[in-house]
Amino acid sequence: MFVLSLVVLLMWREPGHPLMSLWISGMNITLTDNGLLLVVRLLLKALISMTFSMFFLMTTRYAYLSTMIYRVFPSPIDQIFLMSYRFIFITLKMVNAMMRALKSRGGGLIKGMTRQSQMFAEVFALVFIRSYDRAERVNKAMEARGYSGKYIAATGIPRIGYVEYGFIMGILSIIAYQMLFHSLV
Amino acid sequence: MALLESKRAEPTVCHISAEPELIHVDCVSHIYPDGSLGIHNLCFKVQEKEIVAVCGGNGSGKSTLLEHLNGLLSPSDGCVSVFGKRLDAQTKKSLWKDVGIVFQRAEDQLFAPTVLDDVMFGPLNMGMNIEDAKQVAFESLKAVGAEELVNKMPNYLSGGQKRLVSMAGVLAMKPKIMALDEPTSDLDPNHAEIIEKIILELKNKYGISVVIATHDLDLAAQIADRICIVKSGSIIAEGTPAEIFYNSELLEEAGLKKPKIVQIYDEFCKSRGLERKNRPVTVVELAKCFTCE
């Protein structure tokens, strides 16, 4: 959707055979065949990137991923990533607990629009305050073990096996073949 | 027993013994930024290879005291000395290596993606290389009986397991003193017993001095060599478990209840019309009393 929102703006500027025209506030904008092709191409690229990213994330243990990020990304990006993962779980747990507590006393999300918005605001504010409080406590606990701003991710990552090497070589061969002989990319 | 007055106006008396002191908290006061009083004129010491239990009700200042031992909090007044050196900005920087602290909420202490990573955190900060840190982490996890959790994610551990891992994380730094904040709170009896055994092992096997802040007097009675009763930020009494736990007025003043062993022995003596000759505080001592009397 994010890519689509950008492409929708770009597609009107592509030169080519016009398909349709629109008059908006005295301005004439034209959609061309190349514009439409650009939409399809960019959406497909985004889809492929997302699929590969999901495939990578869902088949890699987080501990390995965090070590890779620690090795590759500069500080503080790696530190933010390493810390945020656990906090996502903690925050979700906190929200769940709060929603359960709300429901246990007759609260819920079906009491009318005003009440619902108010409740969401209350939950959001509480989560923010409690997360801040918890972050303080976690920082204190980390300082007590010598933390001074640098967290080292030290999980050992297993070496790539022959099967994985074969898979990567196969994929690269297909890409090279497509690029050299079919120029589809 | 050194029964100290808890009056705010008068400073408490510091009893400095001839025994080697690892930590000396000398008339320390701490005021939080919001103006609330954490501790007031508090004197406290930790000696070699002893288990000290700091007992008191909620909000009595136990946790504040513990955070002063590790240098996480600085006193507003008074001074803290560790290994004979007065704490200042410079000495505080490396204090975490010698005084480990296990927090009340184990969940706050675990942040790494795996248990192994979390336990390795302290040793890596000490400058160990990854292989050595891993070795030490394995040893610490084994020491607390949590070696099977090594590759688990902290999110999926039970409360008791989290507590064991957080203890291993501190033990891995091989501190000379360990401060444990409410080590058995929220734990089932089995896990509480495991923690109890580990604390005794810390002292007997590893020679670590242990300070526990707790309102679980049953735990304190079983394992502590010395008890300090805290009320309103000051230590109002200090002594052996037998001296403290058979002082009903003192416990009442501090808002605490006698340990179960003491209650049973009191009832036993009362029902039989016996005089309280002995003062058992552990199960073994109580069993001996029953067989003798």
Side-chain angles (χ1 to χ4, degrees):
Chain A
M1 285 308 287
F2 173 71
V3 176
L4 186 68
S5 64
L6 293 176
V7 174
V8 161
L9 299 173
L10 292 173
M11 67 182 186
W12 306 99
R13 294 171 56 87
E14 280 295 300
H17 181 71
L19 296 176
M20 60 177 278
S21 289
L22 287 174
W23 277 96
I24 300 171
S25 311
M27 249 181 15
N28 183 21
I29 51 171
T30 308
L31 177 66
T32 62
D33 54 350
N34 285 338
L36 202 59
L37 202 62
L38 180 78
V39 174
V40 175
R41 195 180 283 166
L42 285 178
L43 281 179
L44 276 176
K45 278 185 179 175
L47 189 69
I48 291 165
S49 308
M50 280 305 294
T51 311
F52 267 90
S53 304
M54 292 300 286
F55 177 66
F56 175 65
L57 287 171
M58 291 171 82
T59 54
T60 310
R61 284 181 62 188
Y62 176 73
Y64 300 156
L65 190 67
S66 62
T67 307
M68 284 187 268
I69 284 164
Y70 173 72
R71 286 179 190 170
V72 174
F73 285 93
S75 189
I77 297 170
D78 62 334
Q79 300 291 306
I80 292 167
F81 187 88
L82 294 169
M83 297 290 164
S84 58
Y85 176 76
R86 173 115 172 89
F87 273 88
I88 292 168
F89 278 93
I90 287 175
T91 312
L92 281 177
K93 210 169 162 185
M94 209 187 292
V95 174
N96 269 338
M98 253 183 260
M99 292 308 290
R100 273 206 307 274
L102 270 173
K103 282 177 187 165
S104 71
R105 286 184 291 154
L109 301 175
I110 45 165
K111 296 271 168 89
M113 194 67 175
T114 321
R115 179 74 191 113
Q116 193 171 308
S117 327
Q118 195 185 341
M119 220 158 57
F120 267 127
E122 280 166 7
V123 168
F124 181 78
L126 261 179
V127 167
F128 182 76
I129 293 163
R130 285 187 189 179
S131 304
Y132 187 81
D133 192 39
R134 189 181 279 260
E136 290 271 301
R137 287 201 303 270
V138 171
N139 184 53
K140 206 180 247 185
M142 289 172 80
E143 272 179 18
R145 288 197 284 161
Y147 179 69
S148 54
K150 186 82 182 155
Y151 165 50
I152 304 161
T155 305
I157 301 173
R159 296 182 73 85
I160 299 177
Y162 293 117
V163 181
E164 284 92 347
Y165 270 122
F167 179 75
I168 293 167
M169 291 309 289
I171 295 281
L172 287 176
S173 309
I174 293 167
I175 294 170
Y177 177 79
Q178 292 289 347
M179 285 177 79
L180 287 172
F181 301 109
H182 291 269
S183 68
L184 280 177
V185 184
Chain B
M1 178 175 60
L3 192 63
L4 309 172
E5 289 298 319
S6 62
K7 287 172 190 169
R8 288 275 164 83
E10 298 163 22
T12 47
V13 184
C14 293
H15 295 263
I16 302 165
S17 70
E19 289 170 69
E21 283 175 10
L22 302 183
I23 296 182
H24 187 97
V25 175
D26 194 6
C27 299
V28 161
S29 297
H30 185 86
I31 298 164
Y32 283 103
D34 68 345
S36 59
L37 193 71
I39 49 178
H40 174 75
N41 247 350
L42 190 143
C43 296
F44 177 73
K45 61 179 184 280
V46 182
Q47 286 160 353
E48 241 177 279
K49 291 180 189 174
E50 71 163 350
I51 299 175
V52 193
V54 180
C55 304
N58 292 335
S60 57
K62 305 186 294 289
S63 302
T64 309
L65 170 63
L66 250 57
E67 287 181 22
H68 275 83
L69 306 183
N70 183 271
L72 283 172
L73 288 180
S74 300
S76 312
D77 194 20
C79 75
V80 180
S81 305
V82 180
F83 305 119
K85 281 182 189 168
R86 195 180 162 142
L87 281 193
D88 52 34
Q90 201 56 40
T91 47
K92 246 169 70 172
K93 276 182 189 166
S94 56
L95 186 60
W96 58 272
K97 292 177 189 168
D98 295 319
V99 186
I101 183 164
V102 180
F103 290 84
Q104 186 176 353
R105 298 183 198 197
E107 183 142 297
D108 294 340
Q109 207 170 315
L110 311 175
F111 61 90
T114 65
V115 165
L116 181 65
D117 280 310
D118 200 275
V119 179
M120 282 167 69
F121 178 70
L124 285 173
N125 286 334
M126 290 172 87
M128 273 188 204
N129 64 46
I130 290 176
E131 283 312 308
D132 288 347
K134 204 173 270 182
Q135 184 63 32
V136 169
F138 275 120
E139 283 168 14
S140 313
L141 283 166
K142 203 172 174 189
V144 299
E147 62 267 42
E148 78 279 6
L149 306 173
V150 71
N151 288 319
K152 291 252 167 92
M153 289 170 79
N155 307 333
Y156 302 117
L157 300 181
S158 69
Q161 288 173 330
K162 279 179 189 162
R163 191 62 59 95
L164 292 176
V165 173
S166 60
M167 283 180 83
V170 174
L171 189 59
M173 301 189 302
K174 297 186 175 163
K176 294 182 182 73
I177 302 156
M178 256 174 96
L180 309 160
D181 198 355
E182 301 285 3
T184 54
S185 63
D186 308 327
L187 294 187
D188 63 53
N190 281 339
H191 275 100
E193 204 180 317
I194 292 169
I195 298 284
E196 205 177 293
K197 279 180 188 163
I198 292 168
I199 295 172
L200 282 171
E201 245 180 36
L202 291 176
K203 179 192 140 187
N204 299 329
K205 195 173 165 185
Y206 301 101
I208 297 172
S209 296
V210 182
V211 182
I212 51 172
T214 184
H215 51 243
D216 180 358
L217 297 196
D218 292 312
L219 168 78
Q222 291 297 324
I223 62 171
D225 300 312
R226 192 156 54 88
I227 308 287
C228 294
I229 301 289
V230 190
K231 191 196 168 193
S232 308
S234 299
I235 291 181
I236 57 166
E238 191 182 335
T240 63
E243 286 170 337
I244 297 286
F245 295 142
Y246 280 88
N247 188 338
S248 307
E249 294 85 38
L250 171 70
L251 294 180
E252 207 171 301
E253 189 194 335
L256 297 166
K257 275 193 169 183
K258 285 179 187 174
K260 290 276 183 298
I261 302 287
V262 177
Q263 287 178 27
I264 293 167
Y265 186 68
D266 272 354
E267 277 305 309
F268 174 74
C269 290
K270 211 195 280 177
S271 65
R272 301 269 174 112
L274 297 170
E275 196 189 326
R276 284 195 321 195
K277 275 186 262 170
N278 304 300
R279 289 190 292 185
V281 287
T282 66
V283 177
V284 177
E285 287 171 8
L286 182 69
K288 267 185 198 165
C289 287
F290 283 157
T291 48
C292 293
E293 290 169 17

